[in-house]
Amino acid sequence: MKKIVIGLMLVFISSLFIQESQGNEYLTYKDFVFEHGGAKLLENYSNYEYEKYYDKIDKKRFWGWRTYTRMENEEVSYVKDTLFVIVNEGTTPITQNLEFKSNEYVKKQYNVTGSLGMKVSATDEGFKLGLEEQLKFSITTTVYQEKDEEFEIKVYIDPMTKLTVEVRGDGKVSNGVAKYFRFFKNVKKGGWEIFVVTTEYYSLRKEQIDEV
Amino acid sequence: MKSKTIFGLLAFLLVIFISLLFIPDDKPLKIISSPKIYSILRSSELEAFKIEFLVNKNDTYHFNKEYISSVSLNSELDEEIISLTINDISFGNGTYTYANEEYYLVEFKLKIGFNTDDYLIDFNKTYLSIEYNNSEELKLFIGEFNYVFNDDINNEISVSNLSSTVFEIDGINTVSGIYIELNNISNENLIINRFSLGSNTIEFNNYFLSEIYVEPDLFTEVKEILLVDEYNYKSSSNIIEQTILLRENQSITLYVPLNYIGDIDYIHRFYFEIEYENNLGKNSLIIDDFPYISTSNFQENLEDEYIIYEIPN
């Protein structure tokens, strides 16, 4: 019985981690380029910056949130991991049909640090304790959608090359810090971040394989 | 006794009045369409396509498959009607705020209701017509619709690089040109003549179809790639043919910019045809509709183009 309970707990815990990773998938993107110099993701805040931004929240509250916004809808471009790869390590070219399904979506993703929490479920994703409603700017005019798109083409792959479907994207980032008070006592504090994917660009690209 | 009766009556009326206040208004159904250019190659029988709308109600029979008797694509004056079958109707998770009202994204997943191996649908102005079991009919404008059936296998040319350059019109990103690497896998030399885009109002500018040697970055301007002072997206030169040699067992990298000659000035996904000559005459390769740009069809910058339908209760 104990084993079953422990097993169930492990399944429950691992399912939480899986859901968590869907909440901030954008952290796996690379080569971020922000529109303005000095802009950065929450994960790159230093301890000094956290302290500096916490200090900007100088007023207490009987109950609820006090927030500081460091970046508001900052435009950013990025490169996602490649979606599809065909490798030809042989000595003659190969021709084959490439079929892939892309996940087309425009969605909002979240990240938190410190003692702030996220709720992640199939239908509801966001910050705990209504933090997003307290942020004094709008990031709501986006339709969330996720849909499969099929593409089929005959492709040609030279020896020692690989063919990839590369995905680049544009998004908007907002981040800052927040403190939560109960009876004037600061019980939670940390960083918050909202990442909105606005556009993605697909390309089919041939690349040389590095010879070892 | 009398006063008690009057008070009782007043209390009863007050309860009715208050409960009436809390009964929500049965608001009329609103449907928002964001017209766009559909350019689809059907390469397999299973392939479906999607048409999306924003709607202010997600619990009405209008989006329940069971209540729909037929659905079709109609040309502007109903001269041509293409019957469709519904694979699915589904709602997105989030909501969209437009004019202070909450809207849901509804997606119709549809299939053309017949099979053929070579047929082209090209409606400049297209309506999605939905008929219900109660004889009600909705006709919703969706934009330009191009759909080609093609399952030909081409054994002469294959592709190994395919990307686009993009530019922005009124805050909307759209494709400005296509970069493609073609490989001649036949046993003869081929002559590339022209590229033809699957749309009536957006076309390739074949005057500038040319070989280039470095892949342009996504945001490079067309004039920089073509080394010209200015590039006019509104000019039309689609009838021009080129003679670009693609030698046996060789590859070639080409770039061709787009012209926008219609009302809808953005396109994110489309099929196109590469027309060429072999020893026997003319032939072509059709490139499937690739998602060069993927973004929402409902966004602030497109709101001026929305068409709003209000369906009374």
Side-chain angles (χ1 to χ4, degrees), chain A residues 83 100-104 147-151 202, chain B residues 269 291:
Chain A
L83 196 73
F100 79 87
K101 271 189 173 185
S102 69
N103 276 323
E104 188 176 332
K147 50 191 183 182
D148 291 331
E149 296 290 344
E150 287 172 36
F151 174 78
Y202 289 74
Chain B
R269 179 178 188 138

Side-chain angles (χ1 to χ4, degrees), chain A residues 150-167:
Chain A
E150 287 172 36
F151 174 78
E152 191 181 334
I153 193 172
K154 178 177 272 190
V155 291
Y156 179 89
I157 309 120
D158 288 318
M160 297 310 289
T161 60
K162 63 179 178 183
L163 202 74
T164 63
V165 176
E166 188 190 85
V167 186

Side-chain angles (χ1 to χ4, degrees), chain B residues 65-204:
Chain B
K65 226 171 123 173
E66 306 303 318
Y67 290 86
I68 295 174
S69 56
S70 73
V71 58
S72 64
L73 286 176
N74 296 22
S75 61
E76 191 175 7
L77 301 171
D78 290 342
E79 316 96 320
E80 286 185 82
I81 295 172
I82 304 288
S83 113
L84 303 173
T85 54
I86 301 175
N87 271 16
D88 191 26
I89 301 174
S90 58
F91 283 91
N93 287 334
T95 56
Y96 182 98
T97 307
Y98 174 72
N100 297 322
E101 196 172 352
E102 293 262 288
Y103 285 85
Y104 308 91
L105 185 82
V106 64
E107 178 185 281
F108 286 76
K109 198 170 183 183
L110 303 159
K111 274 175 73 178
I112 302 285
F114 59 89
N115 258 330
T116 169
D117 47 9
D118 185 17
Y119 185 76
L120 173 69
I121 301 164
D122 58 339
F123 293 170
N124 269 6
K125 293 189 188 302
T126 318
Y127 292 81
L128 180 72
S129 167
I130 309 167
E131 287 182 22
Y132 295 88
N133 294 339
N134 62 1
S135 304
E136 186 182 352
E137 186 187 3
L138 291 182
K139 275 186 88 174
L140 309 167
F141 183 64
I142 61 160
E144 182 187 319
F145 191 86
N146 306 275
Y147 191 95
V148 64
F149 294 80
N150 185 284
D151 47 13
D152 285 355
I153 296 166
N154 186 303
N155 290 316
E156 294 181 309
I157 297 180
S158 67
V159 173
S160 50
N161 264 306
L162 178 63
S163 60
S164 67
T165 52
V166 304
F167 79 123
E168 202 175 284
I169 300 179
D170 298 332
I172 301 296
N173 272 334
T174 183
V175 174
S176 58
I178 290 294
Y179 169 83
I180 190 166
E181 181 174 357
L182 302 174
N183 306 279
N184 183 344
I185 50 173
S186 74
N187 299 317
E188 56 183 291
N189 291 342
L190 304 172
I191 304 287
I192 308 292
N193 294 135
R194 62 197 295 273
F195 282 34
S196 174
L197 199 148
S199 161
N200 285 324
T201 58
I202 296 179
E203 60 184 26
F204 284 121

Side-chain angles (χ1 to χ4, degrees), chain A residues 104 148 198 200-201 204-205, chain B residues 50 158 162 173 215 294-295:
Chain A
E104 188 176 332
D148 291 331
T198 53
E200 291 195 330
Y201 309 93
L204 194 67
R205 183 152 284 126
Chain B
K50 292 148 191 170
S158 67
L162 178 63
N173 272 334
E215 182 180 352
S294 165
T295 189

